[in-house]
Amino acid sequence: MNDILIREATPADAAEVTTVFETAFAPLRSLYRPTGAALARQAERAQAGTRIVAELDGPIVATVQYDLHADHIHVIGLAVHPDFQRKGIAGQLLDWIGIRAKELGQPAVVLDTIRETGNVTLFEKLGFRVVHEEKATWCVSETYRELHDVKLERLV
């Protein structure tokens, strides 16, 4: 695979970012959907965080947002276009954020996922460990009776 370029997103990237995000999350929407209130909070958070993108020979193939907290960087909405999944791009994005965390003096990178997606194992392989789990109240599912929000952390 060719080299991936990871950079901060610009306003000109908005349409490509939206396409990658929606395409990547489409399969998960059969497992869970955020509630209206959660979607409103996500839109609000999107204005506050920093978005990065991964390009492969020009087009954006992945995106993620992060924001700064008192004792960690929080990763939000990691999305890799399905055509480019399982190629190490998510790991490269998370490593980039880990380097940024070190530069900012943050000891950890934190993210949340829904256990029922199967992504906990993926994040554990990328060096994260589960630090908290609870019933998810911000999303609903027609597939599962109940969903579980899992917080994972990777020390930098």
Side-chain angles (χ1 to χ4, degrees):
M1 185 163 70
N2 296 328
D3 287 337
I4 297 289
L5 170 67
I6 297 175
R7 62 173 176 80
E8 285 194 20
T10 68
D13 297 325
E16 258 187 296
V17 163
T18 298
T19 298
V20 167
F21 188 86
E22 289 177 355
T23 304
F25 272 81
L28 298 178
R29 291 301 169 245
S30 66
L31 301 177
Y32 76 94
R33 285 186 337 280
T35 63
L39 286 171
R41 277 194 309 278
Q42 287 172 3
E44 194 175 289
R45 285 176 81 181
Q47 304 306 312
T50 301
R51 177 161 300 282
I52 60 173
V53 296
E55 291 181 353
L56 179 60
D57 296 327
I60 293 171
V61 298
T63 184
V64 66
Q65 184 178 327
Y66 68 89
D67 55 16
L68 197 55
H69 292 255
D71 60 351
H72 66 276
I73 282 185
H74 195 126
V75 174
I76 306 156
L78 176 60
V80 178
H81 189 284
D83 293 347
F84 299 93
Q85 291 175 357
R86 304 201 188 335
K87 298 182 185 308
I89 297 170
Q92 289 182 49
L93 286 168
L94 292 168
D95 289 347
W96 190 97
I97 292 172
I99 291 166
R100 187 79 183 115
K102 260 188 183 160
E103 292 170 353
L104 295 169
Q106 296 296 334
V109 175
V110 172
L111 58 81
D112 299 283
T113 192
I114 296 295
R115 177 167 295 284
E116 288 73 14
T117 63
N119 287 335
V120 171
T121 304
L122 168 85
F123 291 122
E124 288 175 331
K125 287 178 183 170
L126 293 172
F128 285 80
R129 65 181 180 84
V130 174
V131 293
H132 184 74
E133 183 170 343
E134 64 187 17
K135 182 179 173 190
T137 57
W138 61 270
C139 55
V140 294
S141 175
E142 279 126 36
T143 306
Y144 295 98
R145 189 174 56 77
E146 105 180 355
L147 298 166
H148 299 89
D149 197 6
V150 179
K151 183 176 292 297
L152 296 105
E153 174 185 80
R154 181 168 78 181
L155 300 178
V156 298

